[in-house]
Amino acid sequence: MELKPKFNLKWYKNLDNYSDGDVEEDIIKYILENPPEDYGKVILEHYCWPVYYHLTHTRQNILNWYPFKQDASILEIGCGLGAVTGLLCNKCKAVTAVELSKRRATAALLRCREKDNLEIIVGNLNDIEFDRKFDYITLIGVLEYQGTYTESENPYKDFLLKVKTLLKEDGKLLIAIENKYGMKYWCGAAEDHTGIPFDGINQYQMSGSKVRTFAKEELRKLLIESGFINQYFYFPMPDYKLPMVIYSENSLPENEALENAFPYYIHSDGTLLIEEEGLYKDIIRNNVFDFFANSFLVECSLSPIENEEQRVTFALLNSKRQSEYRVGTIISASGHVVKFPLNDNIYVKSHLVHVVKNMENMERRGLKILPYKLEGENLVSEYQELSLLENLMCEASARKDTDLLWSLWDELLRQIEMASDEVEQKTCMIYELGIDTYAENKNYGKIVKEGYLDMIPRNAFVKEDELLWFDQEWALDNVPSKYILFRGMLQTYIRFPIMRYSIPVQEWLEHYGIHMYFHEFLSFDKLFTKMVMDQYYAGYIAEHREKDIYEKNIMKLL
């Protein structure tokens, strides 16, 4: 086997102090025997936290949206088993990865064996002498451990001072780290590094660990004292380890519907006392989200950052999908919205082309469409300072304005049916898929020749009392128009529980006659979801928690 990266053992002292144990040998074996596109299958077959954590492609979401400049050099400090290293090799001209553990570095080497722009150095950064400086340096899950690996009275500051000497004057340091006061810790989740609930909140008195995480202002002060006078904070959710959405100082969540930010917990659920999801509504309304965010990604620099308009302020990363459908969306300070492939799968690029075709077809039918254009592999549009249809519905629900709500749902159904011709009942996809058997006397309502499944309230702006559609990814033939309406109701009601108090689900279903084929529509929706989602995705541990785990844990305290 040809190994293209350089493997540098000059600074290695035969000490592998950091490890997840012998499971790392298993992971190396999986890396040797499987191409990266099969890692999902490996995770499913050998599921445990280390296997999932080190092999899931979701790890790359921490930086796959970040706008690295062309021909950049990057120093990755603490590359681990190479979960992010390959991504950096794809984005930058030259990558130098440093790793304490030879076994971990070997895994990264094998994982990136085709990358000829990579050098892996085994050893402690504090011992290594470099003959160059870098455009970027990353500390992803590394800074918190310097109480152990930097011998100093002030290890965190001194480590950052060392890092600063390796950064070009106009370079950027990217730090990902847990928030000591992250919401998951207040809810009872075990501290990620020590496994002890409330350990960080109690200033690590229980464990006596040398690990240290920081509150936002603590971290900001530490960075300033270390010479990084310019910082910009991002807030990966649910955290930096497995991020699905990236908020920022200039793009904080505005309501309780956090985009795709499903919490997960590494350790046992036995200490969870509060349901994390339920707290964000009040946290956001009280403008303290940045204090309670579970982790930070901080962009730091020694001098003022140029080209601020190019800064990404928000990223949504659909990495739970099948490989051919994984796309990300970023919003920049300049006002550009860009949808882009999250991987090199050729079908992702064709998927984005289909988005444009869907929008063009809808426009030909007389619907209003947000202008898009393809630029290379990306789909680009302009950011709109407009209200979403779902927000208008939410506001109407808060006022109990059911007349307006019904009129909005009616208009949505009208436009769904306007978007395509009607076809015969017997051609309905529900029959074709075997969910139901065709009968002359059964009527699913209007069957549309082309059903645009993303004609839902979150994908339409309201402009001068008209709907302006965007992000129309999915189109299926011969779909009931009311199924698309049903899909919109499901997603809106899940995101905004307040909707259920103005128009209950059963009342909504009966109003449109959908109660008669509720189970058929639900089965169809599950099949579509199965088609889109990664079949090997092991999922967040939170998805398998007992629903009443919080109540059970609280009862133990009484």
Side-chain angles (χ1 to χ4, degrees):
M1 178 191 300
E2 182 184 5
L3 300 175
K4 294 182 179 180
K6 297 177 183 178
F7 198 62
N8 186 339
L9 293 171
K10 177 180 178 180
W11 307 97
Y12 181 52
K13 296 183 177 179
N14 295 311
L15 293 173
D16 285 12
N17 295 327
Y18 189 83
S19 171
D20 279 323
D22 290 340
V23 69
E24 292 182 357
E25 295 290 349
D26 295 330
I27 295 172
I28 290 175
K29 179 173 177 286
Y30 304 148
I31 290 171
L32 273 171
E33 295 176 351
N34 297 274
E37 57 268 25
D38 288 345
Y39 287 172
K41 184 178 179 181
V42 171
I43 291 170
L44 185 66
E45 293 175 349
H46 305 281
Y47 183 78
C48 65
W49 172 252
V51 170
Y52 176 63
Y53 176 66
H54 290 297
L55 293 184
T56 177
H57 59 268
T58 307
R59 292 280 306 281
Q60 296 186 358
N61 285 353
I62 191 61
L63 289 175
N64 57 13
W65 53 273
Y66 186 82
F68 293 98
K69 65 183 182 181
Q70 286 187 335
D71 297 328
S73 60
I74 187 165
L75 173 63
E76 182 189 17
I77 302 174
C79 69
L81 279 71
V84 181
T85 310
L87 170 76
L88 298 179
C89 290
N90 293 340
K91 284 185 167 285
C92 299
K93 183 177 181 179
V95 179
T96 302
V98 173
E99 174 53 44
L100 277 167
S101 160
K102 183 180 177 182
R103 180 163 65 178
R104 287 188 159 211
T106 300
L109 172 68
L110 295 172
R111 193 169 187 170
C112 301
R113 50 186 174 264
E114 297 297 326
K115 308 298 183 183
D116 58 8
N117 61 337
L118 171 64
E119 178 182 10
I120 299 175
I121 303 175
V122 185
N124 187 323
L125 180 86
N126 294 302
D127 301 329
I128 300 171
E129 297 177 5
F130 293 88
D131 58 2
R132 61 198 180 281
K133 294 190 177 185
F134 299 88
D135 295 301
Y136 298 95
I137 298 176
T138 65
L139 298 175
I140 301 175
V142 170
L143 180 61
E144 58 266 41
Y145 290 103
Q146 295 317 305
T148 299
Y149 297 110
T150 298
E151 295 182 5
S152 162
E153 291 185 4
N154 196 341
Y156 305 98
K157 179 180 175 180
D158 289 344
F159 180 72
L160 288 170
L161 288 172
K162 163 74 173 180
V163 168
K164 187 175 72 170
T165 66
L166 302 175
L167 192 66
K168 292 181 180 179
E169 187 62 31
D170 62 346
K172 296 184 180 71
L173 169 65
L174 301 169
I175 299 176
I177 188 171
E178 291 85 358
N179 176 8
K180 179 167 68 175
Y181 295 119
M183 181 48 58
K184 66 181 181 181
Y185 295 140
W186 293 103
C187 292
E191 207 278 346
D192 287 66
H193 311 89
T194 68
I196 298 176
F198 307 106
D199 199 20
I201 294 173
N202 279 318
Q203 314 307 314
Y204 296 96
Q205 294 182 65
M206 293 293 293
S207 67
S209 173
K210 290 185 178 181
V211 167
R212 287 294 180 272
T213 54
F214 307 92
K216 181 186 174 187
E217 289 308 311
E218 284 181 296
L219 184 55
R220 189 189 295 280
K221 182 180 178 182
L222 172 63
L223 290 167
I224 291 173
E225 291 176 348
S226 305
F228 295 96
I229 58 175
N230 297 286
Q231 308 122 30
Y232 188 84
F233 274 75
Y234 291 97
F235 308 99
M237 289 293 289
D239 66 7
Y240 84 82
K241 291 184 178 70
L242 301 173
M244 303 298 289
V245 59
I246 311 287
Y247 293 102
S248 76
E249 294 178 14
N250 295 116
S251 185
L252 295 171
E254 297 179 350
N255 53 53
E256 66 270 29
L258 293 175
E259 301 282 350
N260 290 4
F262 306 111
Y264 72 95
Y265 304 101
I266 299 171
H267 302 287
S268 168
D269 291 343
T271 57
L272 292 175
L273 299 172
I274 304 169
E275 189 174 7
E276 184 179 335
E277 302 98 305
L279 296 175
Y280 285 110
K281 178 179 179 179
D282 287 336
I283 287 169
I284 293 165
R285 285 183 176 178
N286 285 281
N287 298 316
V288 289
F289 174 80
D290 58 341
F291 181 82
F292 287 106
N294 284 329
S295 60
F296 309 121
L297 172 66
V298 194
E299 181 190 67
C300 318
S301 64
L302 306 173
S303 55
I305 295 174
E306 300 178 356
N307 302 321
E308 285 279 355
E309 71 279 358
Q310 296 180 11
R311 181 192 300 284
V312 172
T313 58
F314 175 81
L316 180 64
L317 308 154
N318 291 309
S319 59
K320 290 173 67 174
R321 296 176 176 180
Q322 299 266 22
S323 177
E324 59 265 37
Y325 304 129
R326 288 178 197 150
V327 296
T329 302
I330 57 175
I331 300 174
S332 66
S334 64
H336 288 96
V337 180
V338 180
K339 294 183 78 70
F340 65 100
L342 287 177
N343 56 41
D344 293 329
N345 190 317
I346 189 171
Y347 295 106
V348 180
K349 300 160 190 175
S350 63
H351 178 65
L352 290 175
V353 172
H354 281 297
V355 175
V356 175
K357 290 181 178 179
N358 292 340
M359 305 281 278
E360 291 173 345
N361 290 339
M362 291 170 63
E363 188 172 30
R364 280 193 286 269
R365 299 286 300 190
L367 279 74
K368 302 294 183 182
I369 300 299
L370 180 70
Y372 274 95
K373 59 181 177 179
L374 278 171
E375 293 185 357
E377 298 177 350
N378 301 333
L379 199 57
V380 181
S381 63
E382 298 299 319
Y383 181 74
Q384 302 292 315
E385 290 286 354
L386 298 170
S387 291
L388 292 171
L389 175 58
E390 67 174 11
N391 291 337
L392 190 60
M393 288 179 164
C394 255
E395 292 165 6
S397 292
R399 299 192 307 268
K400 299 290 179 68
D401 190 346
T402 54
D403 289 340
L404 177 58
L405 277 171
W406 286 126
S407 69
L408 293 173
W409 285 115
D410 288 345
E411 175 61 15
L412 180 56
L413 179 59
R414 187 187 76 82
Q415 294 211 16
I416 291 169
E417 295 180 344
M418 178 181 169
S420 181
D421 292 330
E422 184 175 6
V423 295
E424 295 181 65
Q425 282 285 319
K426 63 183 179 181
T427 66
C428 178
M429 185 170 282
I430 288 178
Y431 302 134
E432 183 178 335
L433 294 173
I435 295 172
D436 196 5
T437 303
Y438 175 67
E440 292 283 353
N441 62 347
K442 193 151 190 178
N443 193 322
Y444 279 107
K446 183 175 181 179
I447 310 300
V448 290
K449 184 177 181 180
E450 291 179 316
Y452 300 104
L453 304 192
D454 278 336
M455 291 185 71
I456 59 177
R458 70 179 300 188
N459 284 343
F461 291 116
V462 180
K463 183 179 182 180
E464 298 174 354
D465 295 327
E466 289 190 318
L467 299 184
L468 186 66
W469 292 101
F470 62 94
D471 276 2
Q472 296 301 304
E473 290 192 60
W474 311 105
L476 292 178
D477 295 339
N478 305 341
V479 174
S481 60
K482 288 185 180 179
Y483 161 71
I484 302 174
L485 189 74
F486 170 76
R487 185 170 185 263
M489 182 277 291
L490 283 181
Q491 297 202 19
T492 307
Y493 274 50
I494 289 170
R495 283 165 56 79
F496 300 99
I498 190 175
M499 300 283 289
R500 307 170 197 176
Y501 300 109
S502 51
I503 300 178
V505 173
Q506 187 61 31
E507 182 181 348
W508 189 96
L509 293 172
E510 291 176 358
H511 181 86
Y512 290 105
I514 295 175
H515 64 290
M516 295 184 295
Y517 26 85
F518 169 79
H519 293 292
E520 288 84 353
F521 278 6
L522 198 60
S523 296
F524 183 53
D525 195 65
K526 289 179 179 177
L527 275 177
F528 171 71
T529 301
K530 185 177 180 180
M531 178 192 79
V532 171
M533 301 305 289
D534 184 354
Q535 62 179 318
Y536 297 121
Y537 180 73
Y540 289 102
I541 299 171
E543 294 174 0
H544 305 290
R545 288 203 310 266
E546 296 179 61
K547 291 183 178 180
D548 59 349
I549 189 67
Y550 307 100
E551 182 179 342
K552 288 182 179 179
N553 290 338
I554 290 170
M555 292 302 294
K556 296 175 186 177
L557 303 177
L558 300 179

